[in-house]
Amino acid sequence: MREVAVIGTGITRFGELWEASLRDLCVEAALGALTSAGADTLDSIYVGNMSAGLFVGQEHLAPLMADYLGLGGVPATRVESACASGGMALRSAFLEVASGMSDLVLAAGVEKMNDGADVTGVLATASDQELEVYYGVTFPGLYAMVARAHMEKYGTTEEDLSWVSVKAHRNGARNPNAQFRRLISLEDVMTSTMVAEPLRMLHCSPVTDGAAAVLLCPLERAKEFTDRPVKILGSGAATSTLSLTHRKDPADLDVVELSGRRAYEMAGVTPDDIQVAEVHDCFAIAEICCYEALGFVEPGKGKDAARDGVTDLGGKIPVNISGGLKAKGHPVGATGIAQAVTLVEQLRGEAGESQVEGARIGLAQNMGGSGASSVVHIFQGV
Ligand code: COA
């Protein structure tokens, strides 16, 4: 396999973007990635998208994107793995370059969620229709069950969950593209509206429009496009049961552990080598589970990490420095690519007031459903 580098990035603002359509968002992010690398051609395109068909009535996204980029004729493929669609699109692009088949490959991700669709219903299509949706369960409801299981097993409290959200908003306040740039207090979180007990509104990621893109090429050609390429050291993906009912232990996200282990093995690094991470905090409990599953802390210790500043900027392992899904926003198909954009900025030392000093190795973890799919990438500044 060839070594692969990220040579360009592009991202839109995240939020309720009534003025921009699905195609506007994707084109803006993709052109950003191409322009930043000074590239005007591509060998292949992957677009991560969960459900443009249900959100805005548009399927067959990949050729639409190629056409609107002015690159009609280029092979283009849409990748779907619920909220992990972006991360899986990145993995597909990585594999295509690593295999030697193509040199310049774009991985984009996009979702337009605020266009009038029944968002909760559309998102629920990523869970088990027969075993979960039929009985009325929603995603906040599923992650509430994960939270309950974690509380039972490890003594995690509602306050522990709340510190994760306080940290997310503190980080989001520094991110010019974030949906929420306001600070929130512990009390704000703990008195916000109950959505699915024990998860309150401020434990939840919001409903977001947005897009992101990264441009990849073989590492040996990267210097043709940028002085600061970022190498993809490892890529690991895994699946688990679609329904939470069938999960061996809902308190532990086994899919994150497995995808992380595969990425660590490929990269030849351990959790101790990771200096900055973006993980899938669709709900505060998911971030706590990820700390444990990725080996940043011991099992059962995830609940203390945000409160104790371990995962804060300046802490041992800063996590979700972008604001994460909670504050930056979660346009589901774009999230995995947006995580990569954040890490590339960090590893190039271009993150301004959000910069993790001296960061050279970073990890992105992107999850689908209630933990049925997960993909982890490990990056290194070169
Ligand atoms: N965090 C912070 N503020 C939020 C928020 C969130 N998650 N969701 C909404 N808000 C804010 C809105 O900006 C709005 O503020 P404003 O009055 O200043 O404009 C206000 O709260 C009301 O927004 P509204 O859209 O009416 O909220 P809602 O009750 O319809 O939705 C949730 C709130 C939490 C139910 C919704 O954000 C949600 O479903 N989140 C989960 C999404 C999800 O499941 N994603 C997939 C994960 S696997």
Side-chain angles (χ1 to χ4, degrees):
M1 292 214 323
R2 300 193 295 182
E3 294 186 307
V4 179
V6 181
I7 53 168
T9 63
I11 193 161
T12 67
R13 198 162 60 80
F14 279 14
E16 285 188 39
L17 307 179
W18 297 102
E19 71 287 3
S21 70
L22 178 82
R23 68 187 74 183
D24 293 339
L25 292 170
C26 202
V27 167
E28 182 187 331
L31 284 180
L34 285 162
T35 309
S36 69
D40 57 7
T41 178
L42 287 173
D43 295 327
S44 179
I45 301 170
Y46 289 91
V47 183
N49 174 261
M50 175 182 160
S51 203
L54 294 176
F55 281 126
V56 295
Q58 181 65 65
E59 301 285 15
H60 216 175
L61 215 52
L64 179 73
M65 292 312 157
D67 181 21
Y68 271 71
L69 272 174
L71 293 170
V74 169
T77 310
R78 171 184 164 179
V79 178
E80 187 276 316
S81 192
C83 303
S85 299
M88 293 297 183
L90 174 59
R91 180 174 160 85
S92 302
F94 167 74
L95 293 172
E96 185 164 331
V97 177
S99 73
M101 186 160 185
S102 299
D103 273 6
L104 275 178
V105 181
L106 186 80
V110 64
E111 210 76 56
K112 179 78 181 140
M113 299 171 77
N114 288 292
D115 242 12
D118 162 21
V119 173
T120 303
V122 174
L123 290 171
T125 61
S127 55
D128 191 313
Q129 283 295 317
E130 289 184 16
L131 300 181
E132 294 173 330
V133 183
Y134 181 78
Y135 297 97
V137 173
T138 61
F139 266 103
L142 287 166
Y143 275 93
M145 288 191 247
V146 173
R148 277 270 167 249
H150 205 274
M151 287 170 157
E152 284 284 320
K153 187 170 178 181
Y154 297 118
T156 307
T157 65
E158 199 185 316
E159 191 179 314
D160 297 329
L161 301 176
S162 304
W163 281 116
V164 175
S165 303
V166 172
K167 172 180 73 68
H169 274 246
R170 194 161 51 233
N171 289 339
R174 289 188 293 262
N175 179 351
N177 291 320
Q179 181 160 359
F180 298 121
R181 301 196 63 198
R182 64 170 196 274
L183 299 177
I184 53 173
S185 67
L186 188 67
E187 191 188 354
D188 291 334
V189 185
M190 294 191 63
T191 56
S192 61
T193 306
M194 187 62 80
V195 176
E197 202 175 359
L199 300 181
R200 296 176 180 274
M201 185 199 269
L202 291 179
H203 296 127
C204 304
S205 59
V207 174
T208 310
D209 306 325
V214 290
L215 181 59
L216 310 186
C217 84
L219 183 63
E220 66 196 20
R221 285 196 58 195
K223 288 281 161 92
E224 292 173 33
F225 301 95
T226 175
D227 294 338
R228 280 175 288 187
V230 170
K231 183 176 164 187
I232 300 182
L233 285 182
S235 173
T239 53
S240 183
T241 65
L242 194 63
S243 85
L244 208 49
T245 325
H246 289 156
R247 205 70 54 76
K248 215 185 299 168
D249 187 346
D252 299 316
L253 291 173
D254 55 359
V255 76
V256 180
E257 195 275 328
L258 190 53
S259 54
R261 183 158 20 107
R262 287 174 177 154
Y264 287 134
E265 275 169 19
M266 182 173 181
V269 301
T270 70
D272 284 341
D273 296 314
I274 305 300
Q275 295 158 309
V276 55
E278 291 284 306
V279 306
H280 198 96
D281 60 320
C282 50
F283 298 92
I285 184 61
E287 179 165 326
I288 290 176
C289 294
C290 286
Y291 295 160
E292 298 170 357
L294 293 167
F296 298 158
V297 299
E298 296 290 312
K301 301 285 185 211
K303 61 186 169 57
D304 308 317
R307 185 194 56 225
D308 295 349
V310 174
T311 50
D312 225 335
L313 187 60
K316 179 170 168 267
I317 162 87
V319 175
N320 287 338
I321 224 64
S322 65
L325 284 53
K326 169 69 202 76
K328 179 184 55 184
H330 183 26
V332 288
T335 282
I337 304 287
Q339 293 175 325
V341 170
T342 296
L343 289 175
V344 169
E345 269 178 16
Q346 285 285 342
L347 300 175
R348 284 174 161 179
E350 293 173 349
E353 54 178 339
S354 297
Q355 185 64 45
V356 175
E357 283 311 316
R360 284 201 65 242
I361 299 186
L363 176 150
Q365 180 274 331
N366 185 202
M367 186 147 56
S370 60
S373 58
S374 173
V375 56
V376 172
H377 286 99
I378 298 176
F379 302 86
Q380 182 179 40
V382 289

